[in-house]
Amino acid sequence: MKKKKELSKVQVIIWDIMKYLKEYLEKEKIDYYMLGGTLLGAVRHKGFIPWDDDIDIGIPRKQYEKFIYEISLHLPEHLKLYTYESEPTHHYYFSRIVDTRHSLKRTGSIVERNEEVWIDIFPLDGMPNNFIVRKIHMMKLLFTRAMYHISCFDKVNLKRPGRPLSERIVIKFVMITGFGRKTDTHKWLYKLDKLLKKYPIEDSNWIVNFMGQYKFKEMFPKEYYGKGKFYKFEDGKLFGPENADAILTQMYGDYMTPPKDQDKNAHAAILNEESSEK
């Protein structure tokens, strides 16, 4: 008999957030999709990847804007929406629903910091259908994203495994020269926002989660998402793209084979035990 998987303390907290969020999204008929490691966990583990410490979901842009405008009116006291426009300490482009009673110590960046336990919510955007225009748009996005990360360099997770050589070279260059580290983070976030909204998903043959960890590895033909479907996730179900195999193969290759131990804790995050006792 297969032993039942036990969730970590962090996963229990995250799953409670997600259950509340799922109920709201489905009641309001807001489309959402599991992304990246969350989708991988659903397919490979029927729930969380055992060593993972968050959930990532994506919402098509128009519905995403509606969601971040309205969700705060429906959250219980211990849950809060963070966006870069509403929360001064939130330096990410994407939004988060956090449980303010529990925090994680982030140890992978230059400056250690505490962040409330979270679920990441990404906008899903379109890309140009024309190949040449799409490539130009991709280069603009990559440059703007790089400058944004440099502007908040002290908070970048330098211990994230699997970084490509180009990123490691840029990180080394910035550490040596200090290039771009005094520029305004919000300026670059607003530039990213303008670029990402340029091509509506309704008019595009592509769907991208550009601000995810894998950038354009998370750009897929719209038919990969299709009408979507539910996948088993722990003691419930979450919605995801229709063709999970094509998406996960593009992102991870042989996705059914777990990574080596040194590649498992991508967030370099540790639960603050004192917060879990509140």
Short mmCIF file of all heavy atoms in Angstrom, two decimals, residues 55-57 59 64 67-68 71 80-84 86 90 92-98 118-123:
data_model
loop_
_atom_site.label_atom_id
_atom_site.label_comp_id
_atom_site.label_asym_id
_atom_site.label_seq_id
_atom_site.Cartn_x
_atom_site.Cartn_y
_atom_site.Cartn_z
N ILE A 55 2.55 28.08 -4.78
CA ILE A 55 1.67 27.73 -5.89
C ILE A 55 1.68 28.90 -6.85
O ILE A 55 1.62 30.07 -6.44
CB ILE A 55 0.23 27.44 -5.40
CG1 ILE A 55 0.16 26.05 -4.76
CG2 ILE A 55 -0.78 27.55 -6.54
CD1 ILE A 55 -1.22 25.68 -4.22
N ASP A 56 1.78 28.61 -8.15
CA ASP A 56 1.74 29.63 -9.19
C ASP A 56 0.51 29.41 -10.05
O ASP A 56 0.29 28.30 -10.56
CB ASP A 56 2.98 29.55 -10.09
CG ASP A 56 4.26 29.88 -9.35
OD1 ASP A 56 4.20 30.58 -8.33
OD2 ASP A 56 5.34 29.41 -9.80
N ILE A 57 -0.29 30.46 -10.23
CA ILE A 57 -1.40 30.39 -11.17
C ILE A 57 -1.34 31.59 -12.11
O ILE A 57 -0.77 32.63 -11.78
CB ILE A 57 -2.77 30.34 -10.46
CG1 ILE A 57 -3.05 31.63 -9.70
CG2 ILE A 57 -2.87 29.13 -9.55
CD1 ILE A 57 -4.49 31.74 -9.21
N ILE A 59 -3.71 34.09 -14.85
CA ILE A 59 -5.04 34.55 -15.21
C ILE A 59 -4.91 35.42 -16.47
O ILE A 59 -4.05 36.31 -16.51
CB ILE A 59 -5.69 35.38 -14.08
CG1 ILE A 59 -5.82 34.53 -12.82
CG2 ILE A 59 -7.05 35.91 -14.49
CD1 ILE A 59 -6.35 35.29 -11.60
N TYR A 64 -7.35 39.19 -15.12
CA TYR A 64 -6.35 39.48 -14.08
C TYR A 64 -6.55 40.89 -13.53
O TYR A 64 -6.52 41.11 -12.31
CB TYR A 64 -4.95 39.33 -14.68
CG TYR A 64 -3.81 39.71 -13.75
CD1 TYR A 64 -3.30 38.81 -12.83
CD2 TYR A 64 -3.25 40.98 -13.82
CE1 TYR A 64 -2.26 39.16 -11.99
CE2 TYR A 64 -2.20 41.34 -12.99
CZ TYR A 64 -1.71 40.43 -12.07
OH TYR A 64 -0.67 40.79 -11.24
N PHE A 67 -9.51 40.92 -11.40
CA PHE A 67 -9.23 40.19 -10.18
C PHE A 67 -8.49 41.06 -9.16
O PHE A 67 -8.91 41.15 -8.00
CB PHE A 67 -8.39 38.95 -10.51
CG PHE A 67 -7.80 38.25 -9.32
CD1 PHE A 67 -8.58 37.38 -8.56
CD2 PHE A 67 -6.49 38.47 -8.94
CE1 PHE A 67 -8.04 36.74 -7.45
CE2 PHE A 67 -5.94 37.84 -7.84
CZ PHE A 67 -6.72 36.97 -7.08
N ILE A 68 -7.41 41.72 -9.58
CA ILE A 68 -6.63 42.50 -8.61
C ILE A 68 -7.39 43.76 -8.16
O ILE A 68 -7.11 44.32 -7.10
CB ILE A 68 -5.22 42.88 -9.13
CG1 ILE A 68 -5.29 43.74 -10.38
CG2 ILE A 68 -4.41 41.62 -9.38
CD1 ILE A 68 -3.92 44.25 -10.83
N ILE A 71 -10.47 41.63 -5.66
CA ILE A 71 -10.28 40.53 -4.71
C ILE A 71 -10.15 41.01 -3.27
O ILE A 71 -10.62 40.34 -2.34
CB ILE A 71 -9.06 39.65 -5.10
CG1 ILE A 71 -8.91 38.45 -4.17
CG2 ILE A 71 -7.79 40.47 -5.13
CD1 ILE A 71 -10.06 37.50 -4.15
N LYS A 80 -4.11 38.87 2.32
CA LYS A 80 -3.93 40.21 1.75
C LYS A 80 -3.38 40.09 0.34
O LYS A 80 -2.57 39.21 0.04
CB LYS A 80 -2.96 41.02 2.62
CG LYS A 80 -2.84 42.50 2.22
CD LYS A 80 -2.00 43.27 3.20
CE LYS A 80 -1.90 44.74 2.80
NZ LYS A 80 -1.05 45.51 3.75
N LEU A 81 -3.83 40.99 -0.54
CA LEU A 81 -3.30 41.09 -1.89
C LEU A 81 -2.12 42.03 -1.91
O LEU A 81 -2.20 43.15 -1.39
CB LEU A 81 -4.37 41.61 -2.84
CG LEU A 81 -3.88 41.96 -4.26
CD1 LEU A 81 -3.56 40.70 -5.06
CD2 LEU A 81 -4.91 42.82 -4.99
N TYR A 82 -1.01 41.60 -2.51
CA TYR A 82 0.14 42.47 -2.73
C TYR A 82 0.33 42.68 -4.23
O TYR A 82 0.37 41.72 -4.99
CB TYR A 82 1.42 41.84 -2.17
CG TYR A 82 1.60 41.93 -0.68
CD1 TYR A 82 2.70 41.32 -0.06
CD2 TYR A 82 0.71 42.61 0.13
CE1 TYR A 82 2.89 41.39 1.31
CE2 TYR A 82 0.88 42.69 1.50
CZ TYR A 82 1.97 42.08 2.09
OH TYR A 82 2.15 42.15 3.45
N THR A 83 0.43 43.94 -4.64
CA THR A 83 0.87 44.29 -5.99
C THR A 83 1.95 45.35 -5.85
O THR A 83 2.09 45.98 -4.80
CB THR A 83 -0.28 44.87 -6.84
OG1 THR A 83 -0.61 46.19 -6.37
CG2 THR A 83 -1.53 43.98 -6.78
N TYR A 84 2.70 45.57 -6.92
CA TYR A 84 3.78 46.57 -6.83
C TYR A 84 3.22 47.99 -6.71
O TYR A 84 3.92 48.91 -6.28
CB TYR A 84 4.74 46.46 -8.01
CG TYR A 84 4.19 46.87 -9.36
CD1 TYR A 84 4.24 48.19 -9.79
CD2 TYR A 84 3.65 45.93 -10.23
CE1 TYR A 84 3.75 48.58 -11.03
CE2 TYR A 84 3.17 46.29 -11.48
CZ TYR A 84 3.23 47.61 -11.87
OH TYR A 84 2.73 47.97 -13.10
N SER A 86 0.36 48.63 -4.86
CA SER A 86 -0.33 48.81 -3.58
C SER A 86 0.55 48.59 -2.36
O SER A 86 0.21 49.03 -1.26
CB SER A 86 -1.51 47.83 -3.50
OG SER A 86 -1.06 46.48 -3.44
N HIS A 90 6.67 45.29 -2.00
CA HIS A 90 6.46 44.25 -3.01
C HIS A 90 7.14 44.68 -4.30
O HIS A 90 6.62 45.51 -5.05
CB HIS A 90 4.97 44.03 -3.22
CG HIS A 90 4.65 42.91 -4.17
ND1 HIS A 90 4.65 41.59 -3.78
CD2 HIS A 90 4.32 42.91 -5.48
CE1 HIS A 90 4.33 40.82 -4.81
NE2 HIS A 90 4.13 41.60 -5.86
N TYR A 92 7.91 42.71 -6.89
CA TYR A 92 7.64 41.82 -8.02
C TYR A 92 6.61 42.45 -8.97
O TYR A 92 5.75 43.22 -8.55
CB TYR A 92 7.07 40.49 -7.52
CG TYR A 92 7.96 39.77 -6.54
CD1 TYR A 92 7.68 39.81 -5.17
CD2 TYR A 92 9.07 39.07 -6.97
CE1 TYR A 92 8.48 39.15 -4.25
CE2 TYR A 92 9.89 38.40 -6.06
CZ TYR A 92 9.59 38.45 -4.70
OH TYR A 92 10.39 37.80 -3.80
N TYR A 93 6.69 42.08 -10.26
CA TYR A 93 5.68 42.56 -11.21
C TYR A 93 4.35 41.86 -10.97
O TYR A 93 3.29 42.50 -10.99
CB TYR A 93 6.15 42.31 -12.65
CG TYR A 93 5.09 42.70 -13.65
CD1 TYR A 93 4.81 44.04 -13.91
CD2 TYR A 93 4.34 41.73 -14.31
CE1 TYR A 93 3.81 44.40 -14.81
CE2 TYR A 93 3.34 42.07 -15.20
CZ TYR A 93 3.09 43.41 -15.44
OH TYR A 93 2.09 43.76 -16.31
N PHE A 94 4.37 40.55 -10.79
CA PHE A 94 3.14 39.79 -10.57
C PHE A 94 2.60 40.06 -9.17
O PHE A 94 3.28 40.64 -8.32
CB PHE A 94 3.41 38.29 -10.76
CG PHE A 94 4.61 37.79 -10.00
CD1 PHE A 94 4.51 37.38 -8.69
CD2 PHE A 94 5.85 37.72 -10.62
CE1 PHE A 94 5.61 36.92 -7.98
CE2 PHE A 94 6.97 37.27 -9.93
CZ PHE A 94 6.85 36.87 -8.60
N SER A 95 1.37 39.65 -8.93
CA SER A 95 0.74 39.89 -7.63
C SER A 95 0.82 38.65 -6.75
O SER A 95 1.14 37.55 -7.22
CB SER A 95 -0.72 40.32 -7.81
OG SER A 95 -1.45 39.32 -8.49
N ARG A 96 0.52 38.84 -5.47
CA ARG A 96 0.52 37.73 -4.52
C ARG A 96 -0.68 37.85 -3.59
O ARG A 96 -1.08 38.95 -3.22
CB ARG A 96 1.78 37.74 -3.65
CG ARG A 96 2.99 37.14 -4.31
CD ARG A 96 4.19 37.13 -3.40
NE ARG A 96 5.25 36.30 -3.99
CZ ARG A 96 6.47 36.18 -3.50
NH1 ARG A 96 6.81 36.83 -2.40
NH2 ARG A 96 7.35 35.41 -4.10
N ILE A 97 -1.20 36.69 -3.20
CA ILE A 97 -2.08 36.60 -2.04
C ILE A 97 -1.23 36.00 -0.93
O ILE A 97 -0.66 34.92 -1.10
CB ILE A 97 -3.31 35.73 -2.31
CG1 ILE A 97 -4.14 36.28 -3.47
CG2 ILE A 97 -4.15 35.61 -1.03
CD1 ILE A 97 -4.81 37.60 -3.18
N VAL A 98 -1.13 36.71 0.20
CA VAL A 98 -0.27 36.26 1.29
C VAL A 98 -1.09 36.02 2.55
O VAL A 98 -2.14 36.64 2.75
CB VAL A 98 0.87 37.26 1.59
CG1 VAL A 98 1.69 37.54 0.34
CG2 VAL A 98 0.31 38.56 2.17
N TRP A 118 2.98 32.76 0.52
CA TRP A 118 2.31 33.34 -0.63
C TRP A 118 1.80 32.32 -1.64
O TRP A 118 2.23 31.17 -1.68
CB TRP A 118 3.28 34.27 -1.36
CG TRP A 118 4.43 33.54 -2.00
CD1 TRP A 118 4.43 32.92 -3.22
CD2 TRP A 118 5.75 33.33 -1.46
NE1 TRP A 118 5.66 32.36 -3.47
CE2 TRP A 118 6.49 32.59 -2.41
CE3 TRP A 118 6.37 33.72 -0.27
CZ2 TRP A 118 7.81 32.21 -2.20
CZ3 TRP A 118 7.69 33.33 -0.06
CH2 TRP A 118 8.40 32.61 -1.01
N ILE A 119 0.90 32.84 -2.49
CA ILE A 119 0.56 32.25 -3.78
C ILE A 119 0.83 33.33 -4.82
O ILE A 119 0.39 34.47 -4.67
CB ILE A 119 -0.92 31.81 -3.84
CG1 ILE A 119 -1.12 30.54 -3.03
CG2 ILE A 119 -1.36 31.58 -5.28
CD1 ILE A 119 -2.55 30.05 -3.01
N ASP A 120 1.59 32.98 -5.86
CA ASP A 120 1.90 33.94 -6.93
C ASP A 120 0.82 33.88 -8.01
O ASP A 120 0.40 32.79 -8.44
CB ASP A 120 3.25 33.61 -7.57
CG ASP A 120 4.42 33.96 -6.66
OD1 ASP A 120 4.27 34.85 -5.81
OD2 ASP A 120 5.50 33.35 -6.82
N ILE A 121 0.40 35.06 -8.46
CA ILE A 121 -0.64 35.17 -9.49
C ILE A 121 -0.09 36.01 -10.63
O ILE A 121 0.21 37.20 -10.46
CB ILE A 121 -1.91 35.79 -8.91
CG1 ILE A 121 -2.38 34.97 -7.69
CG2 ILE A 121 -3.01 35.83 -9.96
CD1 ILE A 121 -3.19 35.75 -6.72
N PHE A 122 0.05 35.39 -11.79
CA PHE A 122 0.67 36.01 -12.96
C PHE A 122 -0.38 36.38 -14.00
O PHE A 122 -1.32 35.62 -14.24
CB PHE A 122 1.66 35.05 -13.62
CG PHE A 122 2.85 34.69 -12.78
CD1 PHE A 122 2.77 33.68 -11.84
CD2 PHE A 122 4.06 35.34 -12.95
CE1 PHE A 122 3.87 33.34 -11.06
CE2 PHE A 122 5.17 35.00 -12.19
CZ PHE A 122 5.08 34.00 -11.25
N PRO A 123 -0.19 37.53 -14.67
CA PRO A 123 -1.03 37.82 -15.83
C PRO A 123 -0.55 37.02 -17.04
O PRO A 123 0.66 36.86 -17.25
CB PRO A 123 -0.81 39.32 -16.06
CG PRO A 123 0.57 39.57 -15.54
CD PRO A 123 0.76 38.61 -14.39
#
